[in-house]
């Protein structure tokens, strides 16, 4: 039930947790260059909790070369899951899928590269998405019933992505967000979340 917050500042890798019952903030151990193998750490990253891995995943697209890190709650330590992944610069995303127990991540400014992280910590390249995926150009969320990802981009396109078959299906978007998505500033760093009963 804790919230995680990644400070959006290129000069720090600080992540904080907020405990609702106590109303207190706690700073996690700092992610350092020792943890990342010297990777450049960007301030705009995909940050998502992965229950099956028991911790917080950070998909970093710093300097255009992606890396994935895991903060395990049980050990209170960071580990590197993957490095040198083709990704864009700013705006990488990460979205956990509770139906298939995987995470979809990647993208970043100008990038269509996407990856799957599974419950063992293995990373698999899924190739290129049909659109650019980043926090300033698209909205990525998951249908909590089917496990399909729902992807909306800033030109009004709406796709359904099946991560099991690695297939993208373009949907009719005439009455789904099109007034909003016609304006890129309306989805700049929008975060969508599924409601499990719908």
């Amino acid at each position: 039930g804790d919230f995680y917050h990644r400070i959006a500042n290129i000069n720090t890798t600080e992540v904080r947790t907020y405990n609702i019952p106590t109303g207190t903030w706690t700073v996690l151990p700092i992610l350092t260059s020792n943890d990342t193998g010297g990777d450049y750490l960007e301030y705009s990253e995909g940050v998502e909790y992965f229950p099956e891995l028991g911790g917080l995943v950070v998909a970093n697209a710093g300097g255009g070369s992606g890396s994935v890190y895991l903060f395990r709650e049980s050990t209170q330590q960071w580990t590197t899951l993957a490095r040198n992944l083709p990704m864009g610069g700013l705006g990488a995303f990460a979205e956990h899928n509770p139906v298939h127990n995987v995470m979809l991540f990647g993208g970043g400014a100008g990038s269509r590269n996407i990856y799957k992280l599974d419950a063992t910590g293995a990373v698999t390249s899924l190739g290129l998405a049909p659109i650019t995926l980043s926090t300033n150009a698209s909205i990525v969320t998951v249908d909590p019933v089917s496990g399909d990802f729902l992807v909306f981009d800033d030109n009004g396109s709406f796709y359904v992505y099946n991560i099991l078959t690695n297939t993208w299906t373009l949907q009719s978007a005439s009455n789904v967000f099109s007034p909003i998505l016609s304006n890129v500033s309306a989805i700049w760093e929008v975060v969508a979340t599924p409601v499990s009963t719908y």
Side-chain angles (χ1 to χ4, degrees):
D2 290 350
F3 282 102
Y4 287 86
H5 179 247
R6 166 75 164 91
I7 304 298
N9 185 325
I10 201 165
N11 296 315
T12 181
T13 59
E14 185 175 296
V15 178
R16 299 179 184 186
T17 64
Y18 179 72
N19 182 273
I20 298 172
T22 63
T24 56
W25 286 95
T26 304
V27 179
L28 299 186
I30 299 297
L31 180 62
T32 69
S33 60
N34 290 335
D35 301 308
T36 67
D39 286 345
Y40 174 78
L41 295 169
E42 188 59 86
Y43 63 87
S44 182
E45 302 159 328
V47 178
E48 182 84 333
Y49 190 80
F50 199 139
E52 295 81 9
L53 286 175
L56 186 72
V57 172
V58 174
N60 173 52
S65 177
S67 301
V68 186
Y69 311 109
L70 171 67
F71 178 78
R72 288 192 188 273
E73 290 180 316
S74 61
T75 63
Q76 293 290 294
Q77 292 183 334
W78 291 96
T79 58
T80 300
L81 300 179
R83 299 179 62 205
N84 301 316
L85 303 173
M87 289 168 64
L90 299 177
F93 79 97
E95 186 72 27
H96 177 258
N97 187 317
V99 177
H100 302 308
N101 300 326
V102 296
M103 183 175 289
L104 179 67
F105 73 92
S111 176
R112 297 186 297 136
N113 294 90
I114 54 172
Y115 303 89
K116 177 178 70 176
L117 173 63
D118 68 22
T120 69
V123 173
T124 304
S125 173
L126 299 171
L128 299 177
I131 56 174
T132 297
L133 297 175
S134 70
T135 57
N136 59 4
S138 60
I139 300 171
V140 180
T141 190
V142 66
D143 176 349
V145 177
S146 69
D148 288 337
F149 287 94
L150 310 178
V151 183
F152 307 89
D153 81 343
D154 58 9
N155 69 11
S157 297
F158 168 32
Y159 285 88
V160 171
Y161 175 63
N162 184 317
I163 197 166
L164 299 181
T165 61
N166 194 20
T167 55
W168 293 82
T169 306
L170 182 63
Q171 306 293 305
S172 169
S174 60
N175 59 1
V176 182
F177 290 141
S178 54
I180 297 174
L181 294 182
S182 63
N183 178 358
V184 63
S185 63
I187 69 161
W188 189 275
E189 296 186 342
V190 166
V191 176
T193 188
V195 178
S196 63
T197 52
Y198 288 87

